[in-house]
Amino acid sequence: MVFLLDMPDVPMNLILGNVGPSVIFSLRKVCRSLRDYIDEAKPELYFNDIQILLKYKEITIHLYHHLEMILISYMLHGNGCRIVFDVIGRDTHEKFIENVDYIEGFWNDYSLIMKYQKSNLKRFHLHLSNSADVDDISKFLEQYKNSRSIKTQYLSLGIYHGDEIPIILQHLDANCLKCIRFFNASDKNIDFTEIVKLDQWKNAQEFSIRNLSITAPMKHFTHFSYIDAEFENSDAEDLKALTEAAIGSPKFEKFIIRLHEFSYDNRQRLSELFGSPYTDQNNCTWFFKTCQEEKILRIDNFREFSRLNFYLIDRSVVPN
C-alpha cells in the first residue's frame, strides 16, 4: 500500500495544487506529518473573493474559489466559540472550542488562510455592522492591524465609524488596490483628511460610495477615472477641477456626481462656469474637447435630479 506521504514532492504538490481549499484544510487534520508537510509547502489556495461580516457576537467569512464556495461562522456560545464550516452544496460540520473567544477563533483560522493565499484577490469585502459591539469592533481592528497585508484589486467596505477607514486602508497593498467602495456608514460626517493622504487612496482608480454625502473638496477625487458619489455641497472650483480632470486624463471613464443641495442658483452657476448649455425638455448638456482627439466630454445635468454625469462620446454624435 502506498501512503500519501510516501509520494515524491512533485506529484504531491500537483495534487495539492488541483484540489479545493476545503480538501487542503481537511488533509491538515489527518496527522501531524501531513500538517507539517502542507505548512512547509504552503499550497496556493487561489481564493478570488473574500467577504467578512462582523455583527453582534458573530463573524462570518465567505471564501470564493473556482471549485467551491466556503462559509464559516464564528459565534459566541457559552464559555467558548461555536464554529460552523459549510462547503456550500456539499457538506456542513460544526465544532465547539471551549475558553476561546469568537474573535480569537476567527483570527486563528483567518491567519492560516492568508498564509496560503499568495495570489492577489479580485475582491475583499469587509462589513463592520452597526449591530456589532463597539468593544468587539476595537478588538477586531487591533487583530486586523497585526495580520498580513492584503493584496486585493477591489475593496468593498461597510463601516461603522469614519475613523475605521484609515486603519483598514493602510493594511491593503497600495500597488494592488484599484477600486474603493464605501457603504452603510453610520457616521454621516466622515473626515477624509487622513484618508486622502494615503497611498492606497492616491493609487486607486475607481471610487464609489453609498448612503453618505461627502464634505471633502472634490480636488481630492480628481485622480480617479471613475466616481459615483454624493457631495454635500460644491462650488465653482470643485466642478472646474472635476471637468479639467475629465478633459485632461487619457484614463477618464465616467463621473456620476450627486449634489446634496442643488438649487436654481446652482444651475445658474453651471452656466457661468461652463457657458450656455445645449438644452432639451429633460436636461442641460455641455460638450468639451478632450485630450483624446476623437472623444468629447459630455456633461449632463438632469432637471429633475441634483446630478451631474460626466462621460465620453464620439465626436461624430455631438449635436450641431
Side-chain angles (χ1 to χ4, degrees):
M1 179 182 291
V2 178
F3 293 98
L4 195 59
L5 283 170
D6 293 333
M7 283 189 176
D9 288 353
V10 172
M12 182 66 166
N13 290 337
L14 282 173
I15 292 172
L16 293 176
N18 287 278
V19 296
S22 63
V23 175
I24 294 174
F25 297 155
S26 297
L27 287 174
R28 285 188 77 256
K29 300 175 183 178
V30 171
C31 66
R32 181 184 297 274
S33 296
L34 197 50
R35 184 192 66 190
D36 290 345
Y37 181 89
I38 291 172
D39 286 349
E40 184 177 348
K42 295 184 179 67
E44 172 63 81
L45 294 182
Y46 294 110
F47 287 123
N48 53 56
D49 188 338
I50 293 179
Q51 300 183 10
I52 300 170
L53 169 61
L54 171 62
K55 48 189 177 180
Y56 185 71
K57 302 303 178 184
E58 181 179 354
I59 300 174
T60 61
I61 179 169
H62 283 83
L63 302 161
Y64 294 86
H65 184 272
H66 70 279
L67 293 176
E68 59 190 9
M69 184 174 78
I70 301 169
L71 170 62
I72 314 174
S73 300
Y74 302 81
M75 292 157 278
L76 178 67
H77 187 79
N79 66 336
C81 174
R82 175 173 170 249
I83 302 174
V84 179
F85 187 96
D86 184 10
V87 182
I88 304 299
R90 208 162 71 218
D91 59 88
T92 302
H93 61 269
E94 63 178 81
K95 65 178 178 179
F96 174 75
I97 306 177
E98 194 174 12
N99 298 323
V100 172
D101 180 72
Y102 78 104
I103 295 177
E104 180 185 353
F106 165 80
W107 280 108
N108 287 341
D109 287 351
Y110 176 82
S111 299
L112 182 64
I113 290 167
M114 297 309 289
K115 177 181 176 182
Y116 295 148
Q117 177 68 27
K118 297 186 279 271
S119 60
N120 296 347
L121 294 169
K122 290 183 179 178
R123 296 172 62 95
F124 179 71
H125 177 109
L126 175 60
H127 185 189
L128 306 179
S129 169
N130 57 13
S131 71
D133 184 88
V134 175
D135 290 337
D136 285 355
I137 290 178
S138 297
K139 286 194 290 185
F140 180 91
L141 290 176
E142 194 61 37
Q143 291 284 350
Y144 174 86
K145 288 188 290 186
N146 295 324
S147 63
R148 288 171 177 258
S149 176
I150 301 167
K151 293 184 177 182
T152 182
Q153 298 175 30
Y154 181 99
L155 169 69
S156 179
L157 176 60
I159 45 179
Y160 186 74
H161 289 303
D163 55 8
E164 299 157 0
I165 297 175
I167 296 172
I168 293 163
L169 280 179
Q170 287 179 73
H171 209 62
L172 304 179
D173 189 312
N175 295 317
C176 184
L177 185 63
K178 303 302 179 189
C179 306
I180 298 173
R181 173 179 176 257
F182 297 155
F183 69 96
N184 285 356
S186 298
D187 186 350
K188 298 300 181 183
N189 295 300
I190 291 177
D191 185 356
F192 276 79
T193 304
E194 296 304 316
I195 297 171
V196 300
K197 296 177 183 177
L198 298 174
D199 288 339
Q200 288 83 352
W201 178 266
K202 295 175 182 177
N203 291 354
Q205 298 171 7
E206 299 182 12
F207 174 74
S208 63
I209 193 166
R210 286 289 179 270
N211 306 324
L212 176 70
S213 289
I214 299 168
T215 57
M218 290 183 183
K219 66 180 181 181
H220 296 304
F221 298 78
T222 55
H223 65 287
F224 292 114
S225 62
Y226 177 90
I227 303 171
D228 184 354
E230 179 178 309
F231 290 82
E232 187 70 25
N233 47 55
S234 64
D235 56 26
E237 288 304 311
D238 279 329
L239 296 173
K240 183 180 178 182
L242 281 184
T243 305
E244 290 177 346
I247 290 172
S249 173
K251 296 182 179 179
F252 168 76
E253 294 178 14
K254 188 174 186 178
F255 295 160
I256 302 171
I257 307 298
R258 292 176 296 280
L259 302 174
H260 185 67
E261 296 181 1
F262 201 74
S263 63
Y264 175 80
D265 291 339
N266 293 108
R267 289 194 171 88
Q268 288 296 103
R269 218 167 54 201
L270 288 178
S271 295
E272 293 171 7
L273 179 64
F274 296 150
S276 298
Y278 175 87
T279 60
D280 59 27
Q281 292 182 347
N282 298 314
N283 62 305
C284 296
T285 302
W286 292 265
F287 301 94
F288 297 91
K289 294 179 180 178
T290 71
C291 63
Q292 303 179 58
E293 186 174 349
E294 295 304 317
K295 295 294 183 181
I296 296 294
L297 172 66
R298 175 170 176 160
I299 303 177
D300 287 331
N301 172 223
F302 298 93
R303 294 183 187 276
E304 294 85 358
F305 305 103
S306 303
R307 190 176 78 188
L308 293 169
N309 284 354
F310 296 65
Y311 57 102
L312 297 177
I313 61 172
D314 289 334
R315 180 186 293 271
S316 60
V317 300
V318 176
N320 292 330

